[in-house]
Amino acid sequence: MKPYAYVRARSVEEAAAAHAARPGARYLAGGTNLVDLMKHGVETPDTLVDVSRLPLDTVEELPDGSLRVGATVRNSDLAAHPLVHDRHPVLSQALLAGASGQLRNIATTGGNLLQRTRCPYFQDTAKPCNKREPGSGCGARDGVHRDHAVLGHSRHCIATHPSDMAVALAALDATVELHGPDGARTVPVTGFHRLPGDHPERDTVIRPGELITAVVVPHATAGLPSAYRKARDRASYAFALASVAAVLDVADDGTVRRVGLAFGGLAHRPWRAALAEAALLGTAPTERAIAHAVDAELGAAQPLRDNAFKVPLARNLACRVLSELAARP
Ligand SMILES: Cc1cc2nc3c(=O)[nH]c(=O)nc-3n(C[C@H](O)[C@H](O)[C@H](O)COP(=O)(O)OP(=O)(O)OC[C@H]3O[C@@H](n4cnc5c(N)ncnc54)[C@H](O)[C@@H]3O)c2cc1C
Ligand code: SF4
């Protein structure tokens, strides 16, 4: 591993200043992804600015009932938090579907959002990868790509985003709070991760030096029926082949009043299913209507040689989860 300097930040401002002072710096939170990538030579920071002990480790209820989750809240703590567990079960379930207990005890909210793809070519510096080394090619396109994207990929990159938590946050209309050299700003989770396009080296819209300070889960979805379902090669300790996060509110007249649907494991970002949602809003969520809506979304899929199975897998997951939510009293 390349030698690096280490700085422990005591405040958001100190972290941002330390990062700005060192062009090759990276923020370090739980380190469960970054340190792995450093060991593989994929990440070679000059300096680690440790943000894991910043006072951003609480879940706070805002006056309007929204939940503000600090960036250093650990995944285990967030999943177990009573307000999250009771009001937004989809988020607890997504967190608990990720990694292992030990990892979740260390992994943070900010680090989880910014974890890098698990594409094996990205993690192997001997292989071509446009994300790791722009212009070197995409090893996965004609190589091993069973786990890769079926939606929104480009000729430059077919990677998927690995986070389970981010899929739930997308369905919940959560926002990301950032602090950077130009001040603070807020970005919706649905707009935070990018599609690869011509620049797969950029996973998100985060700007140089910006620090995630919090994620806000709005009150509008609190208490609504919601669920997360994940299909993977092993029952635990495996990334999603496909996953679904759904929030469904059915009005007294039996029609859909609100729906949030997002897919994981299918694209370079959590895939908010806008077409499916539009098809469901105002209709009775019968099995037929749900299947029609999900098909409208997945009609845009462009599977690769070895991953066409993901389309019916995602379809079945989404239909099952939405039907179960619709059947709740
Ligand atoms: C074996 C294994 C299995 C796993 N399985 C799953 C799974 O099934 N599902 C899943 O979702 N995840 C899984 N993970 C990934 C795990 O969830 C992530 O590694 C973890 O969430 C990253 O959080 P961290 O705090 O350790 O981030 P770090 O590794 O510290 O950082 C990750 C990135 O985020 C940046 N960063 C961290 N915090 C901030 C901040 N506040 N502001 C700006 N930048 C920041 C860092 O600079 C770095 O680039 C798995 C990991 C392993 C090792
Ligand atoms: S899919 Fe993306 S991350 Fe994987 S090799 Fe191709 S460019 Fe790299």
Side-chain angles (χ1 to χ4, degrees), residues 142-180:
D142 294 320
V144 177
H145 58 225
R146 175 179 173 271
D147 295 349
H148 287 64
V150 295
L151 286 164
H153 51 75
S154 76
R155 67 191 175 89
H156 300 291
C157 181
I158 55 173
T160 55
H161 191 264
S163 168
D164 291 295
M165 180 192 78
V167 183
L169 292 176
L172 289 168
D173 286 322
T175 53
V176 185
E177 291 185 355
L178 298 161
H179 177 94

Side-chain angles (χ1 to χ4, degrees), residues 187-264:
V187 178
V189 168
T190 47
F192 184 67
H193 298 93
R194 297 179 65 255
L195 290 180
D198 294 343
H199 289 287
E201 72 279 10
R202 289 171 49 211
D203 293 348
T204 69
V205 299
I206 201 164
R207 295 175 187 151
E210 276 187 326
L211 179 74
I212 296 177
T213 51
V215 167
V216 175
V217 183
H219 185 61
T221 50
L224 298 181
S226 71
Y228 187 76
R229 194 75 49 87
K230 172 176 176 178
R232 46 187 155 174
D233 282 330
R234 292 185 301 272
S236 73
Y237 212 47
F239 291 88
L241 292 167
S243 69
V244 169
V247 182
L248 188 72
D249 182 23
V250 179
D252 290 342
D253 68 359
T255 61
V256 174
R257 182 161 49 195
R258 183 181 184 111
V259 55
L261 179 68
F263 289 103

Side-chain angles (χ1 to χ4, degrees), residues 117 119-122 128-132 137-141 148 156-160 200 268:
T117 183
C119 173
Y121 298 87
F122 173 73
C129 171
N130 287 324
K131 186 180 280 298
R132 178 172 32 75
C138 172
R141 181 163 272 283
H148 287 64
H156 300 291
C157 181
I158 55 173
T160 55
H268 197 257

